[in-house]
Amino acid sequence: MRFQRVALVLCVVMLAGIAERKVFATPPDGDASAIAAADAQILSEVREHSEVMPNLEYLSDTIGARLTGSALTKQANDWTAAKMKEYGLANVHLEPWTIAHSWTRGTASARIVAPAAHSLTIASAGWAPGTNGVVHGPVVYFDAKTKADFEKFKGKLKGAIVIYQEPASLSPPKPEDLNDEYVRPMQAPPPVKGQPAAPSPFAAFIEAARARNEFFKAEGVAAVLRDSGKPHGLLNMTGVGGEKFEIGAIPSAFITGEGYRLLWRMLKRGPVTIEIEMTNSFSEKPVEVYNTVGEIHGSEKPDEVVILGAHLDSWDLGTGSTDNGTGSMAVLEAARALVKSGVKPKRTIRFVLFTGEEEGLVGSKKYVDAHKNDLDKISAVLVHDTGTGRVLTLGLHDNYQDREIVDQVLAPLRELKLLEPSMARSFGTDHASFDDVGVPGFWCVQNGAEYSKTHHSQSDTFDKVWKDDLNQGAQVLAAWAYNTAQLPEMLPRRPLPYQPSEAVAKAEAAQPDPVIEMDAKILAQVKADQGQLQADLSYLADRIGPRLTGSHKLDEASHWTMEQFKALGLENAHLEPWTIANSWTRGPAIGRVIAPTEQALTLAAAGWSPSTNGAVRGAVVGVGVLKMEDLQKYAGKLKGAIVLLDRPGETEGPSNPMLTPYDESNLPLDHPKNMPLTDFRARFRMLADEAKFLKEEGAAAVLMVSEKWYGLLNMGTGFSREYQPGTLPAAYMARENATLIWRLLDAGPVEAEINIQGSFSGKPVTVYNTVAEIKGSEKPDEVVIIGGHLDSWDLGTGATDNGTGSMAVLAAARALVKSGVKPKRTIRFVLFTGEEQGLNGSKAYVLAHKAELSKISGVLVHDTGTGKVLTIGLMHNYAAREAMDRALYPLAKEKSIGLAEPSLRSEGGSDHVPFDTEGVPASWCIQDVANYEKDHHSQTDTLERVKWDDLAEGAQVLAIYAYNVAQLPEMLPRKPAAAQNATR
């Protein structure tokens, strides 16, 4: 059944302008269809004939754990090379590199001997030496936070068993967020050109560990015990030999979380003595290890390469199934599927299974070094290395220059339900070795899928693998590799960061940032004035009330908000007039079923609906069509009928906007199940054509079904356009009433009586946008706008749509004034009207300011209720993404806000759209749902629904956006004209 009328009205009439959709830099139509056809073959091959699970079972159970330098890892190299040859890959070979020592795990045991006896479960850290027999010693908590703190332990650690971590609680367990890798605050953006690169997050950790171990060795520490940090007796594992695979300085072992916490508790009560023994061995001389390599030769540009990678090595407490047998076998499956599908990539696709990853990405670093003369021919690298969970999207590791192209590459893969690509960095997988030398290296952002438990533990075994998710990962790898190989050009590179001397870097880092200092003041000011924000919205919603465009209540709100702006000392506070054809006043809407039963109906006239001129009685005709031609079966049957549009079907609520697949709308509204909110323009045209047909056929009135349950109504303009009386009398009806009538219609004829009342001004009415500003100190003719809409529908009081947004704008203005900002550019505050009937106030604003649009740097609108602002949407303005990351990062750094990285998705339905249509960088606040689907346009849009803390945070987002964008060195970049035109 087609998109229900309620959803048409919901997403077309009420949210006119919603047609902004995704824009990709797409290849020519012929190439695009060929790529889509090839992708379908590739995905089908994995889905129908995957060998990933039997391959992973063999790797896990028959070969087993694959410690770098071990015989089992060489066996895995040989087996994977043989599989590559079996699958038809070319140039299959092993690429050698050398480690200083291989390491063989021996036994490890420990127990507390005083003040009470307790057995402990431990495992030697990789490349840790043995203890040379049983060692007894006191437990010492080494709580040094800096090297200067080492001094207090000098001479006190001889023969000690040292612990140095304060344990976190393991129970009750922290709920596992499967999407934690994706839904998180934005990372700090990379340095701009000419600034030093940010230090590796592991550099300080590695240096601290090196200094600590040197001190321990010099002081005669007997052994070190490390907290595994996992529950239920699971151990953890990492190495102490470093990237050089050297012999560790001190015997070191991991102890279970429970054992470590037992030690910690006992140590707080008094001395604790431990007995420990570890037996491990090393090779006496260097050992040769290997990366496994194979490829599909390119048909047109064989010297240009796309790489799929994973690491074949593992730790040895389990069998290395999820770290990273899953990734390795997904790469192998991608290779098999590509060959079997018969595709002929233009560029060479290379498959590399690295070793030495667990000791510091060493195998991929060695690969990069060995191929340093070929790096400029590597288009991109994608690595799968976060367990068995489904691939949510790709992490692009700051490669902003590639984002639009990656969107194009992923566009045909709709069935995989990928989320929006992320710019997030990750330094723990082999893609980073390529990024470090300028090659675009990407990583698979994956569902957590118990990875925190299996990672490096005894539980990393084949039975923990999620088959369907792993196959989906193989599909992502294969299709990404093929589509990237087919691109017209190689992926662009990001310039390598400036690398100053240590002294210069320290001097540059020490410079205070006045923008950051002012941001802190602004954030604090919004919070301090939250009570005033609450008072303002309470006055607007309760004292003024609903604000229908053209009504005296909206006029009152416009004048009140102008006075509020003036009271704050804002400049140029004024009302900007525009005109509507008619104002409309709601009258009563009454209805009842009169046969075959009697039932009162809950109705509300659609906005700008004409009256029925008294009660109309007639047969109810249910009309549900998929396309316009389907209406012909109703020809001659609608004279005097009350038309009920569309049978209510099963609906589904909105998902977390951040977890909505990238090619789907993330509007926080209910919609028919399995029917995406897309192609609104076509649906809009169809609705207008249907109205014309129903009018010509003589229908008496039309009933539209609310998408909401529990008697909640919806509201929109029905069949009205441009504030003219609607084509037919129309009303919204409670969903429960509609389902009853359809059941009755299934059994036989139904009659109803409807009376819809309303009145029109009969002449044009002037309405107003409220405008005020803070003049720019350096570039006053350049403008940053923050806005919301002041008008509302009239079933509730318009508290959350959009009293919240309007009052957040007012609160942002207050905070900016009271913080004493002196922005370089002018910051303008605009409260639009006429939004609910089609973004008409913002369209009027854009038309009136046509001459200055080129001077508007950016626009941000708050208009999705009362929910927390999760991030902002940039309407596919790829050029502005990096600048926006810099402007918004303070909102990510502020823990109470934790803003996620900006989204490039396009969405309509709010006043940013008319600006975007004209090429102005325009954005909207992507907000938490917060019951918006229930309150939106309904009777419950009242003050009780407001989440005050979240609204205050929304005001903080608006204020920081306004100030920081006003302070940018240049105006925000605009979308190319072709991209603008594609969304119109």
Side-chain angles (χ1 to χ4, degrees):
M1 177 169 182
R2 77 186 174 94
F3 202 74
Q4 300 175 46
R5 188 48 30 110
V6 58
L8 273 172
V9 177
L10 176 76
C11 301
V12 181
V13 182
M14 297 185 304
L15 301 179
I18 223 163
E20 301 298 326
R21 297 308 308 153
K22 216 181 232 317
V23 182
F24 296 108
T26 52
D29 288 346
D31 288 349
S33 59
I35 289 171
D39 286 345
Q41 274 185 284
I42 294 165
L43 300 187
S44 176
E45 178 60 34
V46 175
R47 186 170 53 249
E48 303 298 330
H49 306 291
S50 174
E51 296 183 12
V52 72
M53 291 301 282
N55 283 340
L56 182 52
E57 184 175 359
Y58 183 89
L59 180 69
S60 301
D61 295 352
T62 302
I63 296 178
R66 301 167 302 282
L67 207 58
T68 297
S70 69
L72 291 178
T73 304
K74 179 58 165 62
Q75 184 181 343
N77 286 128
D78 293 336
W79 176 74
T80 50
K83 294 301 284 187
M84 287 182 177
K85 291 176 182 177
E86 176 188 330
Y87 290 154
L89 298 187
N91 191 27
V92 177
H93 61 286
L94 303 184
E95 295 194 1
W97 56 281
T98 303
I99 64 175
H101 300 279
S102 65
W103 178 78
T104 302
R105 180 181 301 282
T107 60
S109 62
R111 66 190 186 97
I112 299 172
V113 295
H118 293 279
S119 295
L120 299 173
T121 300
I122 67 169
S124 296
W127 276 259
T131 56
N132 293 320
V134 176
V135 173
H136 292 77
V139 177
V140 175
Y141 173 46
F142 184 79
D143 64 353
K145 300 296 186 290
T146 67
K147 286 187 73 173
D149 294 337
F150 288 8
E151 287 301 312
K152 67 181 180 181
F153 291 97
K154 209 152 194 176
K156 300 177 182 178
L157 299 179
K158 180 81 171 172
I161 314 295
V162 169
I163 62 174
Y164 61 86
Q165 300 153 288
E166 184 172 347
S169 175
L170 294 178
S171 188
K174 181 181 176 183
E176 184 174 14
D177 184 351
L178 298 181
N179 303 299
D180 186 57
E181 276 293 317
Y182 187 78
V183 182
R184 59 183 180 183
M186 171 176 53
Q187 294 175 333
V192 297
K193 189 175 181 180
Q195 289 185 349
S200 163
F202 298 120
F205 174 81
I206 292 170
E207 172 55 26
R210 184 199 61 76
R212 187 171 55 237
N213 288 336
E214 283 185 0
F215 181 76
F216 288 168
K217 186 169 184 177
E219 290 296 308
V221 167
V224 174
L225 289 179
R226 296 174 61 179
D227 180 16
S228 289
K230 298 177 186 280
H232 307 305
L234 292 175
L235 290 162
N236 208 338
M237 188 49 52
T238 189
V240 294
E243 294 182 9
K244 296 181 180 180
F245 294 84
E246 296 171 327
I247 299 172
I250 300 288
S252 180
F254 283 90
I255 180 173
T256 62
E258 293 82 356
Y260 194 89
R261 282 147 189 79
L262 172 63
L263 280 177
W264 181 263
R265 293 192 302 271
M266 294 179 73
L267 193 60
K268 285 197 295 184
R269 293 195 299 268
V272 179
T273 303
I274 280 184
E275 176 183 284
I276 186 169
E277 182 179 21
M278 297 159 53
T279 63
N280 304 308
S281 61
F282 297 84
S283 66
E284 294 182 0
K285 54 186 180 179
V287 173
E288 196 166 62
V289 294
Y290 306 90
N291 296 324
T292 309
V293 183
E295 57 193 27
I296 299 171
H297 282 312
S299 59
E300 296 181 17
K301 301 177 179 181
D303 60 327
E304 295 180 4
V305 181
V306 174
I307 292 178
L308 290 180
H311 69 88
L312 190 57
D313 66 304
S314 74
W315 285 112
D316 60 337
L317 297 185
T319 58
S321 297
T322 68
D323 187 21
N324 187 30
T326 43
S328 293
M329 295 305 96
V331 169
L332 195 59
E333 175 60 18
R336 187 200 66 78
L338 286 164
V339 173
K340 196 72 174 177
S341 299
V343 296
K344 303 295 181 186
K346 293 179 181 179
R347 293 179 179 81
T348 293
I349 299 176
R350 186 170 296 158
F351 309 89
V352 186
L353 304 182
F354 305 103
T355 51
E357 188 274 350
E358 296 293 6
E359 293 74 36
L361 317 183
V362 185
S364 53
K365 290 176 182 176
K366 295 293 186 181
Y367 180 94
V368 165
D369 187 57
H371 293 264
K372 58 189 174 187
N373 295 329
D374 309 323
L375 296 179
D376 61 345
K377 291 293 187 178
I378 300 176
S379 179
V381 178
L382 176 60
V383 168
H384 186 298
D385 181 20
T386 321
T388 187
R390 70 179 286 108
V391 174
L392 301 174
T393 191
L394 304 190
L396 303 190
H397 202 101
D398 293 335
N399 283 287
Y400 292 89
Q401 76 286 352
D402 294 325
R403 172 56 202 277
E404 185 170 7
I405 302 172
V406 171
D407 278 5
Q408 172 192 329
V409 164
L410 298 179
L413 308 182
R414 181 168 186 167
E415 73 173 79
L416 300 183
K417 299 286 187 183
L418 296 176
L419 304 180
E420 180 173 359
S422 168
M423 213 55 63
R425 299 181 293 276
S426 176
F427 295 92
T429 84
D430 288 303
H431 77 281
S433 301
F434 294 87
D435 265 304
D436 286 347
V437 294
V439 176
F442 308 148
W443 55 289
C444 291
V445 182
Q446 294 176 248
N447 179 307
E450 302 181 300
Y451 193 58
S452 62
K453 297 181 180 69
T454 64
H455 178 254
H456 295 191
S457 80
Q458 315 94 297
S459 190
D460 186 1
T461 51
F462 181 74
D463 52 283
K464 304 305 187 302
V465 175
W466 298 9
K467 175 184 174 182
D468 292 343
D469 285 10
L470 184 54
N471 277 318
Q472 183 260 7
Q475 290 176 313
V476 172
L477 292 178
W480 175 87
Y482 177 73
N483 294 2
T484 303
Q486 300 307 97
L487 290 171
E489 305 293 337
M490 294 208 318
L491 284 174
R493 277 152 158 70
R494 183 178 181 83
L496 289 173
Y498 160 60
Q499 297 285 359
S501 68
E502 185 176 348
V504 171
K506 283 183 179 178
E508 290 175 342
Q511 299 299 319
D513 186 337
V515 173
I516 291 176
E517 292 174 359
M518 181 55 75
D519 285 347
K521 288 184 182 179
I522 295 167
L523 293 172
Q525 191 64 57
V526 173
K527 203 66 181 170
D529 288 339
Q530 185 171 329
Q532 186 59 51
L533 168 60
Q534 187 166 347
D536 289 341
L537 182 52
S538 298
Y539 184 88
L540 180 68
D542 290 352
R543 297 296 186 89
I544 297 178
R547 302 166 301 282
L548 203 60
T549 297
S551 69
H552 74 278
K553 285 293 187 180
L554 179 60
D555 189 72
E556 180 184 350
S558 297
H559 284 82
W560 175 73
T561 50
M562 179 182 67
E563 294 304 319
Q564 297 305 302
F565 282 142
K566 286 181 178 179
L568 291 175
L570 294 176
E571 299 178 67
N572 194 25
H574 64 284
L575 300 180
E576 295 194 359
W578 59 282
T579 303
I580 64 174
N582 286 281
S583 65
W584 175 78
T585 302
R586 179 182 301 284
I590 303 168
R592 64 192 182 98
V593 175
I594 55 178
T597 185
E598 292 189 10
Q599 175 68 50
L601 301 176
T602 301
L603 304 177
W608 278 258
S609 169
S611 297
T612 54
N613 296 318
V616 295
R617 179 177 294 202
V620 177
V621 178
V623 173
V625 296
L626 293 170
K627 52 188 182 298
M628 280 303 298
E629 301 86 82
D630 295 341
L631 280 172
Q632 293 309 310
K633 65 184 178 183
Y634 299 101
K637 301 176 182 179
L638 301 178
K639 183 74 172 174
I642 297 169
V643 174
L644 175 58
L645 285 178
D646 291 334
R647 182 189 296 268
E650 188 177 358
T651 61
E652 56 188 356
S655 61
N656 181 330
M658 303 302 296
L659 297 176
T660 303
Y662 188 40
D663 60 353
E664 297 179 11
S665 170
N666 69 353
L667 288 172
L669 303 171
D670 288 341
H671 55 278
K673 195 169 185 179
N674 301 321
M675 187 170 289
L677 297 168
T678 54
D679 197 15
F680 296 121
R681 282 178 175 166
R683 297 186 185 284
F684 185 89
R685 289 191 295 270
M686 185 172 175
L687 180 63
D689 290 342
E690 285 179 292
K692 181 181 177 183
F693 175 84
L694 297 175
K695 176 75 171 178
E696 291 172 349
E697 288 295 312
V702 177
L703 298 178
M704 295 177 287
V705 186
S706 173
E707 90 286 2
K708 309 173 195 292
W709 290 103
Y710 305 107
L712 293 178
L713 292 168
N714 203 351
M715 187 46 54
T717 52
F719 296 129
S720 168
R721 301 292 177 270
E722 305 298 333
Y723 300 96
Q724 297 290 352
T727 309
L728 285 166
Y732 288 90
M733 179 168 59
R735 193 172 188 82
E736 290 84 352
N737 292 158
T739 56
L740 167 65
I741 293 176
W742 274 101
R743 289 195 300 271
L744 294 174
L745 285 170
D746 289 340
V750 177
E751 289 188 38
E753 183 179 84
I754 304 295
N755 190 342
I756 301 171
Q757 299 299 317
S759 60
F760 294 86
S761 63
K763 59 182 181 181
V765 174
T766 299
V767 294
Y768 304 93
N769 295 324
T770 311
V771 183
E773 59 191 24
I774 300 172
K775 279 289 185 186
S777 60
E778 297 180 16
K779 302 176 180 181
D781 59 327
E782 295 180 4
V783 180
V784 178
I785 293 176
I786 57 174
H789 70 87
L790 191 57
D791 65 306
S792 73
W793 282 111
D794 58 339
L795 298 186
T797 60
T800 68
D801 187 21
N802 184 34
T804 43
S806 293
M807 295 304 96
V809 171
L810 180 59
R814 179 181 296 108
L816 289 166
V817 170
K818 292 176 76 170
S819 298
V821 299
K822 303 293 181 186
K824 294 178 181 178
R825 296 178 178 83
T826 294
I827 298 175
R828 189 169 295 161
F829 312 92
V830 186
L831 304 182
F832 304 102
T833 51
E835 190 273 352
E836 295 294 9
Q837 294 78 40
L839 318 182
N840 293 308
S842 51
K843 289 175 183 175
Y845 182 94
V846 166
L847 184 63
H849 293 263
K850 194 88 174 175
E852 70 172 31
L853 293 181
S854 64
K855 291 294 188 177
I856 299 177
S857 179
V859 177
L860 178 61
V861 170
H862 185 298
D863 181 21
T864 322
T866 186
K868 181 182 180 70
V869 175
L870 305 173
T871 189
I872 72 170
L874 301 183
M875 301 294 286
H876 284 90
N877 189 349
Y878 294 97
R881 171 60 204 272
E882 188 168 357
M884 286 309 310
D885 278 11
R886 300 187 194 290
L888 297 175
Y889 177 62
L891 295 167
K893 197 173 180 182
E894 176 64 32
K895 289 184 178 179
S896 65
I897 300 173
L899 199 77
E901 62 179 276
S903 168
L904 278 161
R905 67 166 72 236
S906 290
E907 203 67 83
S910 84
D911 289 304
H912 68 286
V913 173
F915 293 91
D916 177 76
T917 302
E918 294 300 321
V920 176
S923 306
W924 87 102
C925 293
I926 298 177
Q927 296 175 245
D928 192 17
V929 176
N931 293 312
Y932 189 67
E933 78 283 11
K934 298 180 180 68
D935 303 331
H936 175 256
H937 296 189
S938 82
Q939 308 96 302
T940 61
D941 185 3
T942 57
L943 199 67
E944 292 79 13
R945 313 299 283 180
V946 176
K947 295 178 177 291
W948 296 108
D949 289 343
D950 288 352
L951 180 56
E953 287 180 14
Q956 290 175 316
V957 171
L958 291 174
I960 296 299
Y961 168 92
Y963 180 69
N964 289 6
V965 173
Q967 300 305 98
L968 289 172
E970 305 293 337
M971 295 212 314
L972 286 173
R974 274 142 159 80
K975 290 189 284 192
Q980 295 169 24
N981 293 335
T983 61
R984 295 180 186 174

